[in-house]
Amino acid sequence: MPETALPAHFSRDPDGGLMIEQVEARLVAERFGTPTYVYSRAAIEAAFTSLTDAFGERAHRICYAVKANSNIGILHLLARLGAGFDIVSFGELARVQAAGGDPAKVVFSGVGKSAEEIRGALAAGIGCLNVESEAELHRIADIAGEMDTKAPISLRVNPDVDARTHPYISTGLKDNKFGVAIDEALPLYEWAHAQPALEIIGIDCHIGSQLTDVSPFSAAAERVMALTHQLAERGIRLKHLDLGGGLGIRYTDESPPAAADWVEAITSVVDADPLGRELPIWIEPGRFLVGPAGAMLTRVEYLKPGSHKSFAIVDAAMNDLMRPALYGSDMAIVPAGRGTGERHPGTWEIVGPICETGDFLGHEREMTLGEDDLLTVLGAGAYGFSMASNYNTRPRAAEILIDGTNCHEIRQREPLESLWALEKLPPAGD
Ligand SMILES: *Cc1c(COP(=O)(O)O)cnc(C)c1O
């Protein structure tokens, strides 16, 4: 089998070991243990720059979707590159601030913002609240009124476009819980326009994740532009268009568009319109910026060959990387360094130690493996660590940012005691 192509900034050393920038995966594993997430700083920067270059002089803002990878080291890197942020909880706003990000460049999405979250976001000087329902719009108006402030808002409209992606990550169809149906948005905007505590600044949509085709983006942009015209006719002038995230990446054999194609799909629609031409375009990519930049290192604990199925049991599990178990995602798993064990060719189920049949990282992988071998799951920079849990009382992995020849530990492996530090024994009964 030909080897899976490695993402940019990952390569092979002459002995076949994996390199992340100028650092050997083997050395990272020896120094920090496994499982461990590694991220290439250069890859994150290159992804960000590919988008800003594609926009060129065109007014735009790139709001990184924090939920893809919320480590403050990564947020700091992106803030320094000039990114804004898309958040879905007050906790994510606090992280952005801890990382040195500017709340004025943050958009707050999510269907269930609590009163406390809205209050906290307004107090912090949030850039925009992306409103997902009529009830939320009323709540925001009330809270901003009480606080004697003006809440900057966009309505998240649901353009009813099929993103043709996994049903769990498709969000722009009219039967999804997200946003308001685009044909019901007009009266809400008119109501908001009349509220002294609300300032309408834009319109927003986000149609799904891991899109590998630009056409749903253009279709969404067209519908959003049509509504923008209807609003202008009623004297409601928007200050930006936010077309969301969802830019797909290559996990195995996908061929996603390049940054320039994504941007062209949007600008060709928006800029063809005299009204659109004046409006800054905002986007909210998560996966695209950090996914290919990250990988998870794991070590083979045991080989369990069988006549029906052969298992390679590794030290990472579904709690460390949930995508395969949650979405049935196919992620590339490649050798990263030879161990000490005797090597066996085979077709392996790559599984973790957790007591769940759903605990797998990959099915039917043709590889020659030995115990103690180091493996790497590629494309794990997004929705990897950020979805990790402590199921089975497993401490979450370390996270290492690689920068040239340097390794920065941006999150240490969780100490075991911290897992129950907030728990208490009940008083002794009598
Ligand atoms: C998750 C999410 C994103 C980012 O999606 P990606 O597929 O990672 O680009 C952007 N906007 C909103 C509202 C989201 O919920």
Side-chain angles (χ1 to χ4, degrees):
M1 267 211 337
E3 212 213 354
T4 316
L6 295 173
H9 304 283
F10 288 74
S11 61
R12 291 273 167 216
D13 68 19
D15 300 329
L18 185 75
M19 305 277 293
I20 309 103
E21 299 195 17
Q22 269 79 250
V23 175
E24 290 173 51
R26 185 177 56 80
L27 294 180
V28 177
E30 277 167 17
R31 183 162 157 208
F32 299 100
T34 50
T36 286
Y37 279 92
V38 287
Y39 309 113
S40 156
R41 173 183 172 161
I44 296 172
E45 290 186 347
F48 187 85
T49 309
S50 70
L51 286 172
T52 49
D53 285 352
F55 277 109
E57 298 293 302
R58 173 82 181 69
H60 69 278
R61 179 178 292 172
I62 298 171
C63 296
Y64 167 64
V66 171
K67 72 178 188 291
N69 185 324
S70 49
N71 185 294
I72 60 170
I74 305 280
L75 301 181
H76 180 70
L77 192 63
L78 286 160
R80 287 210 332 217
L81 291 170
F85 297 91
D86 169 61
I87 59 162
V88 291
S89 71
F90 185 74
E92 288 189 345
L93 178 60
R95 276 186 176 275
V96 167
Q97 291 183 279
D102 180 0
K105 287 168 83 175
V106 175
V107 301
F108 193 166
S109 307
V111 291
K113 301 176 197 79
S114 71
E116 207 182 336
E117 288 184 308
I118 293 166
R119 229 172 266 125
L122 289 173
I126 193 92
C128 187
L129 293 163
N130 288 346
V131 184
E132 304 228 10
S133 66
E134 181 173 5
E136 188 194 338
L137 190 61
H138 291 167
R139 181 182 277 185
I140 293 170
D142 288 348
I143 293 172
E146 283 161 21
M147 292 173 72
D148 206 15
T149 187
K150 245 174 149 47
I153 59 150
S154 277
L155 275 196
R156 175 166 174 184
V157 297
N158 191 329
D160 196 23
V161 196
D162 188 354
R164 291 193 291 270
T165 181
H166 189 286
Y168 284 13
I169 50 178
S170 180
T171 53
L173 283 168
K174 58 174 182 284
D175 52 359
N176 291 124
K177 69 175 175 180
F178 302 99
V180 296
I182 194 158
D183 46 11
E184 291 164 15
L186 209 48
L188 295 186
Y189 266 113
E190 287 181 313
W191 183 84
H193 191 50
Q195 306 306 310
L198 298 178
E199 185 191 2
I200 296 170
I201 61 168
I203 187 164
D204 165 58
C205 69
H206 169 70
I207 55 175
S209 204
Q210 182 56 12
L211 276 70
T212 50
D213 174 12
V214 299
S215 58
F217 268 101
S218 315
E222 270 168 26
R223 291 182 193 179
V224 163
M225 270 321 301
L227 181 56
T228 303
H229 273 277
Q230 290 178 302
L231 291 169
E233 282 161 15
R234 285 159 180 79
I236 302 172
R237 288 280 180 166
L238 303 181
K239 296 192 183 127
H240 74 265
L241 305 174
D242 180 342
L243 291 157
L247 291 64
I249 62 170
R250 181 184 181 104
Y251 284 105
T252 53
D253 56 359
E254 301 91 339
S255 19
D261 302 323
W262 292 116
V263 171
E264 165 72 14
I266 298 168
T267 53
S268 63
V269 172
V270 174
D271 290 350
D273 186 308
L275 189 54
R277 221 175 291 148
E278 296 166 16
L279 293 170
I281 297 173
W282 294 8
I283 56 171
E284 306 167 348
R287 191 189 311 269
F288 178 87
L289 293 175
V290 293
M296 186 184 65
L297 304 180
T298 179
R299 217 176 261 292
V300 176
E301 292 280 4
Y302 300 103
L303 293 180
K304 217 173 148 180
S307 55
H308 180 54
K309 278 195 170 166
S310 295
F311 295 93
I313 299 157
V314 299
D315 64 5
M318 64 188 282
N319 75 296
D320 301 299
L321 179 61
M322 204 177 172
R323 297 189 67 258
L326 184 63
Y327 307 117
S329 317
D330 207 1
M331 300 180 76
I333 303 176
V334 301
R338 276 187 184 204
T340 49
E342 195 184 314
R343 303 172 60 74
H344 306 274
T347 302
W348 303 95
E349 295 292 302
I350 315 282
V351 301
I354 284 187
C355 310
E356 299 269 348
T357 305
D359 181 27
F360 65 91
L361 297 177
H363 290 307
E364 296 187 2
R365 302 304 170 95
E366 257 176 71
M367 306 174 86
T368 297
L369 292 180
E371 284 177 6
D372 197 38
D373 272 8
L374 196 59
L375 297 179
T376 305
V377 186
L378 299 174
Y383 307 105
F385 187 92
S386 66
M387 293 180 110
S389 78
N390 295 117
Y391 189 41
N392 278 213
T393 304
R394 291 170 52 84
R396 283 178 293 175
E399 293 179 283
I400 312 297
L401 183 65
I402 309 282
D403 182 5
T405 55
N406 296 316
C407 297
H408 303 296
E409 186 180 41
I410 56 173
R411 186 181 165 106
Q412 70 175 96
R413 186 175 308 287
E414 272 176 331
L416 202 48
E417 309 75 49
S418 74
L419 270 52
W420 56 85
L422 301 177
E423 299 172 18
K424 289 189 179 71
L425 298 174
D430 45 329

